[in-house]
Amino acid sequence: MSLVPTRVQLNRPLPPLTYLAPEGLPVGVRVRVRVRNSLAVGLAMGPDPAPPAAKLRPVEAVIDPFPLLPPKLRELQAFAARYYGCLEAHLLPLSLPQALLPHWEADEDGQRLSFHRDRGAWDVLADLGEAWHRDPSILPTLLHRPVLRGAGFTEVRLTGAPHPPRVTPAQAKILLALEEAGGALMEPELLEAAGVGASVLGTLEKRGLVARMKRVDLLAQRREAGADRTVILNDEQGVALEAVAPGTFGVHLLQGVTGSGKTEVYLALAERVLAAGRRVLWLVPEIGLTARLLDRLEARFPGRIAVGHAGLNAGEKHGDVVRLLFNGADLFVGVRNAVMAPLRDIGLIVVDEEHEGSYKSEEHPRIHARDLAIKRAQLEGCPIVLGSATPSLESWQAAQSGRYRLIQLKQRPAGITLPAVEVVDLRDAYREMRRKVILTPLLMRALMDVLARGEQALLLLNRRGYENFWMCRACGRTLGCPHCAISLTYHRGDFRLRCHLCGHETVPPEACPDCGADHLRGVGEGTEQVEEHLKQLFPAARILRLDRDTTRRRGSFEAGLLAAETGEVDILVGTQMLAKGHTFPKLTLVGVLNADQGLKVADFRASERTFQLLTQVAGRAGRAELPGRVILQTYSPEHPAITFALAQDFEGFAASELPFREGLGYPPFTALSLYRAEADTPKEAREALETFRQHLSVPGLRVLGPLEAPVPRVRDRWRMHLLLKGTRGALGEVLARHPLDPSGPISLDRDPIQFG
């Protein structure tokens, strides 16, 4: 079997490398290669037309007999790699777990796959792969893992504990392999990837850096189905259902007030598509929304659902991906990365809460799942529905210009009305009380009334911890993170000052490190302080706090939501994770403690995000038969984001905000590319971007920078930004003419939504 120079992409910050691989190896199969002294999984990209003169290493092994991903998904990955300036290998883990390995001893018509491999018959395997994608049942044992069935297997996970200053080279290999795999791997694959013995794992486990747990094989995983709550669609919902033409590509923006029944429209559309023999891809913005949604989907479509999100263990991810590859699930529901799920013959894509920023990845590769979902629908030739009570202004403008079809639901179901919204000026409350207050008298009286009636209240404060930061009243110093340019947040329960960027934490000092005075005081309140305050005011009330600190354990968020839904909680306290998609039948009061907190961010989207958050959280009140009430506490009652949220008027807000965006040349009227440079010093980061800017040769661009990032230092790395404004075509041309070195100091964020 002859070997030829072949380009191989790795899921590492490296350009494509050249190895010797079997001649005729199909593009898109995974191979195992040696990089320096470690093994890595790469993606074969075809023969190298200009191989280097150096001596080339052969690939260690060919993992796949043929490309496992459906052809249309591979086409989507190629598009995403071009658009976002990354490699297809960087996107591959979003579709295939690294632990998913084909079984070479599987056979078709008596011929084992290894037989064709050993004689170099890759054309035969490629033809077999095309037939398998049409009918996976021809290779029923392709992904059968006999050594792992029955007795279960051991999964190794990173615990999230900070790494100690010193680790041995062998321990570093284990930690690096886990990080590259997304934090979890099955033990045999981990030891093989790291090239170390099992004793190293034992040492890391004793030091608390990794955890090992026994898992069963979940290839036959099924979820319990509850009772199906079939709802007869009202006239508005029926019109929305008929507006989505099946079997043809089209982008539909479903804008409906909170509680108007958008989910019922999604379910009716899914039922129609599944009845026609095609499949459904359903995206939600956060893990917390999947649990309740899965109950409804399993009730409506029992045994036909698969799920994907970061909260699953390696075995569960493996099991559901196998189900998709073998057409064992007709509806796949998941968060951002699910847009790359290996689902075939898609007839409908749903993107719920399409405005949510969590659809945009802030880590490489920086994809936007909503935008890729639209491209995937185009490739699949199917409709896509983008749903939200408060659509992104990009989607709204596209609907207004006719690129998307606008469908509106303006009424809640019969007997259910929108909540009454009131505003409290915190400036007046301060003058009246002569001190800063967490709960104004109006909100206090409303809470007492709700508790007296046996109903529920939700208090939102989008800031976790006990106090926002500590400062010295003598010299004015703020206690900051030594590794990041932000202040440390005080967590009273753990008695720690903690950085919410890098995880650094320390015991609060007794005196100021600068002047030695003992006048250190906390400033601002977080959800932890609000919870403590409520327990003092209402000792008999059942209070539950839900934020990132209280929901770290797997299943804790879902358990909290279930307790609230079943009436076991009187007052919910939390951050924005409670603001959307949840239904609490007894919830009649929503209090927003600092409604204009998000307006103080230096970001052109600050008003939009504030309006969306306030409108969404207000929509949690009064979603059943009980009338709802919303109280917004704010220092800026006259701000448009506040006034339009009071009126629940999205169209008015959009009409007010869009001219401002157009005048300043921001999305949706201009596309953005943000080039970020990170270096050991600010000078190095600035020089890298200045050199890049000098070589830009695309007309029609507006270039801002290099400028210091809003948070200039994170994890001891200094950061600078270069912002490009222009058309999507011009920005794509910049990327084509000036590709970035994956191992260089500059990274690209196309269509950024965060500038920190």
Side-chain angles (χ1 to χ4, degrees), residues 505-585:
E505 59 181 46
T506 182
V507 175
E510 296 182 1
C512 175
D514 270 10
C515 69
D518 59 353
H519 296 301
L520 289 171
R521 295 291 184 272
V523 178
E525 62 274 347
T527 51
E528 189 180 346
Q529 185 176 160
V530 174
E531 178 190 28
E532 180 184 277
H533 188 58
L534 288 169
K535 287 180 177 178
Q536 294 170 352
L537 293 171
F538 309 108
R542 297 167 296 178
I543 300 169
L544 177 65
R545 172 165 60 97
L546 291 176
D547 56 28
R548 194 181 298 180
D549 296 321
T550 63
T551 56
R552 290 177 179 170
R553 290 181 56 192
R554 176 178 168 165
S556 56
F557 185 48
E558 291 80 0
L561 293 177
L562 181 61
E565 289 176 12
T566 55
E568 298 173 21
V569 177
D570 298 319
I571 303 177
L572 271 169
V573 180
T575 55
Q576 64 180 3
M577 63 170 58
L578 289 175
K580 58 267 184 182
H582 310 299
T583 298
F584 307 112

Side-chain angles (χ1 to χ4, degrees), residues 9-17 35-36 86-87 89-90 176 180 364 740-747:
Q9 294 182 359
L10 302 172
N11 184 22
R12 294 188 179 187
L14 293 171
L17 304 176
V35 183
R36 296 185 179 92
C86 62
L87 301 178
H90 298 152
L176 179 62
E180 290 181 344
H364 186 77
L740 297 175
D741 181 356
S743 59
I746 303 177
S747 63

Side-chain angles (χ1 to χ4, degrees), residues 48 114 125 162 177 223 279 347 357 359 366 383 392 460 499 558 573 592 709-710:
D48 188 342
S114 57
L125 289 172
R223 297 174 179 84
R279 298 183 175 86
Y359 282 124
R366 293 187 173 95
S392 65
L460 176 84
C499 175
E558 291 80 0
V573 180
V592 182

Side-chain angles (χ1 to χ4, degrees), residues 340-597:
M340 294 288 188
L343 191 65
R344 301 185 187 91
D345 195 21
I346 298 175
L348 171 69
I349 298 179
V350 172
V351 183
D352 195 16
E353 307 293 357
E354 66 87 27
H355 67 279
E356 279 296 325
S358 55
Y359 282 124
K360 180 72 163 71
S361 173
E362 294 304 316
E363 298 178 353
H364 186 77
R366 293 187 173 95
I367 65 169
H368 199 307
R370 179 199 62 206
D371 297 347
L372 284 183
I374 294 173
K375 181 64 178 179
R376 187 163 191 183
Q378 183 184 39
L379 293 172
E380 298 280 354
C382 72
I384 178 171
V385 178
L386 311 178
S388 176
T390 56
S392 65
L393 292 183
E394 287 88 344
S395 296
W396 180 255
Q397 180 63 20
Q400 295 300 302
S401 65
R403 290 194 295 119
Y404 298 174
R405 178 169 184 177
L406 178 63
I407 307 169
Q408 291 184 291
L409 302 177
K410 297 186 176 182
Q411 301 294 327
R412 284 187 168 189
I416 302 176
T417 59
L418 286 170
V421 186
E422 305 166 68
V423 65
V424 179
D425 192 332
L426 287 172
R427 297 170 298 186
D428 294 339
Y430 184 85
R431 285 191 288 266
E432 178 185 341
M433 306 290 290
R434 301 263 180 196
R435 60 182 174 84
K436 182 180 178 182
V437 293
I438 296 177
L439 304 175
T440 58
L442 178 65
L443 185 53
M444 277 287 297
R445 290 192 297 271
L447 276 171
M448 289 187 286
D449 292 343
V450 164
L451 294 176
R453 295 194 300 267
E455 297 166 359
Q456 282 179 327
L458 185 157
L459 298 183
L460 176 84
L461 179 62
N462 205 22
R463 188 68 61 89
R464 58 192 176 102
Y466 190 85
E467 290 162 335
N468 301 159
F469 60 91
W470 272 25
M471 68 175 292
C472 176
R473 300 296 173 90
C475 70
R477 173 180 174 177
T478 297
L479 299 186
C481 174
H483 309 292
C484 307
I486 66 166
S487 57
L488 296 171
T489 300
Y490 177 51
H491 292 255
R492 188 169 184 174
D494 299 330
F495 192 59
R496 290 289 188 276
L497 287 167
R498 185 172 295 140
C499 175
H500 288 171
L501 287 182
C502 71
H504 169 81
E505 59 181 46
T506 182
V507 175
E510 296 182 1
C512 175
D514 270 10
C515 69
D518 59 353
H519 296 301
L520 289 171
R521 295 291 184 272
V523 178
E525 62 274 347
T527 51
E528 189 180 346
Q529 185 176 160
V530 174
E531 178 190 28
E532 180 184 277
H533 188 58
L534 288 169
K535 287 180 177 178
Q536 294 170 352
L537 293 171
F538 309 108
R542 297 167 296 178
I543 300 169
L544 177 65
R545 172 165 60 97
L546 291 176
D547 56 28
R548 194 181 298 180
D549 296 321
T550 63
T551 56
R552 290 177 179 170
R553 290 181 56 192
R554 176 178 168 165
S556 56
F557 185 48
E558 291 80 0
L561 293 177
L562 181 61
E565 289 176 12
T566 55
E568 298 173 21
V569 177
D570 298 319
I571 303 177
L572 271 169
V573 180
T575 55
Q576 64 180 3
M577 63 170 58
L578 289 175
K580 58 267 184 182
H582 310 299
T583 298
F584 307 112
K586 296 179 65 178
L587 181 67
T588 58
L589 174 66
V590 169
V592 182
L593 303 189
N594 191 351
D596 53 349
Q597 188 176 56

